Amino acid sequence: MSELYEQISESILDGDVRQVTELVQEGIDEGLSAKELLNDALLEGMNEVGVLFKDGELFVPEVLMAARAMDAGVQLLKPLLQEGDVVKKGKIVFATVKGDLHDIGKKLCIMMLEGAGYEVVDIGMDVPPEKIVEGIKEHNADIVAMSAMLTTTMAAMKESVEAIKENALYDKVRIMVGGAPVSEQYAVSIGANYSADATSAVELANELMAV
């Protein structure tokens, strides 16, 4: 049984959608627990992807392939998972800030966060501060994550944090920011928490949610 879990994890690392689908189906046919297949095989594989990505041994295209393979396995398990099998660590609203149309970094973070057990609501690109505030309220978010890939759009992060404060949400929601031009120093200066990459985003979310 643990051998099958290992094979599934390795297939996630290889980004092999067909192999993951076949192996997960094999596990289902053998009557293995959907919860265990999710946690001990799929999520285990995705955690390993996160570690290798952080160490520079995997790159963005390979992480995207791994996430696609994991998603294929999750889709097979979804009908079999009971309420409570999937413990969500928290809800995250994620936006690329106003003026910025970059999406790949955000997508990568979302895949890693979902793989780590967070419910993530992507509210899009070029999102103005008032829409970010709306998203937090509408989805009752635990965390709001913002991405900026241009130096010129970093100011929109500061405006968004100020809007969160003006709407009395600053004490209710944790704020994560990241992107190529963003630094730890800038994050602190605007009252947010900094994450350098997709793997760090998971570590930071866990830290903020104390899980």
Side-chain angles (χ1 to χ4, degrees):
M1 185 167 65
S2 61
E3 193 182 321
L4 179 68
Y5 291 167
E6 274 172 34
Q7 287 176 329
I8 293 171
S9 291
E10 278 166 24
S11 302
I12 296 265
L13 278 170
D14 295 337
D16 192 332
V17 173
R18 188 178 60 81
Q19 183 83 344
V20 169
T21 307
E22 285 174 7
L23 291 169
V24 170
Q25 190 58 57
E26 190 184 312
I28 292 168
D29 294 343
E30 284 177 19
L32 299 179
S33 146
K35 184 180 177 182
E36 284 183 14
L37 282 164
L38 176 71
N39 292 325
D40 300 342
L42 294 173
L43 291 179
E44 197 59 45
M46 209 58 205
N47 286 340
E48 183 65 19
V49 168
V51 171
L52 293 173
F53 177 63
K54 190 166 189 183
D55 291 345
E57 290 178 46
L58 286 182
F59 300 98
V60 171
E62 293 155 312
V63 175
L64 293 173
M65 283 167 66
R68 208 166 289 136
M70 178 181 154
D71 191 54
V74 170
Q75 293 311 317
L76 284 175
L77 293 176
K78 258 185 186 168
L80 307 170
L81 290 164
Q82 309 295 317
E83 274 297 326
D85 275 356
V86 185
V87 180
K88 289 293 179 194
K89 294 179 183 173
K91 190 183 270 193
I92 301 174
V93 164
F94 212 128
T96 305
V97 294
K98 186 180 175 183
D100 208 312
L101 296 171
H102 291 83
D103 210 20
I104 291 178
K106 180 182 66 166
K107 281 206 167 93
L108 194 57
C109 286
I110 289 172
M111 285 172 176
M112 299 298 276
L113 287 161
E114 286 179 339
Y118 288 92
E119 184 181 345
V120 187
V121 182
D122 183 354
I123 58 172
M125 302 175 285
D126 189 19
V127 184
E130 59 274 19
K131 288 276 184 204
I132 289 175
V133 167
E134 269 174 39
I136 295 167
K137 288 178 179 173
E138 183 187 337
H139 299 288
N140 196 21
D142 299 298
I143 295 174
V144 59
M146 293 182 276
S147 159
M149 294 302 285
L150 303 167
T151 312
T152 49
T153 56
M154 279 167 59
M157 281 183 169
K158 185 169 191 273
E159 289 165 23
S160 299
V161 173
E162 282 165 5
I164 289 166
K165 287 179 177 171
E166 282 162 18
N167 284 269
L169 293 168
Y170 190 72
D171 294 333
K172 296 177 185 164
V173 71
R174 300 141 181 98
I175 303 170
M176 289 169 47
V177 297
V182 183
S183 65
E184 173 93 49
Q185 193 178 357
Y186 181 72
V188 171
S189 77
I190 64 170
N193 302 280
Y194 171 69
S195 136
D197 54 40
T199 312
S200 308
V202 172
E203 290 168 359
L204 177 58
N206 286 343
E207 205 178 294
L208 294 175
M209 294 299 294
V211 293

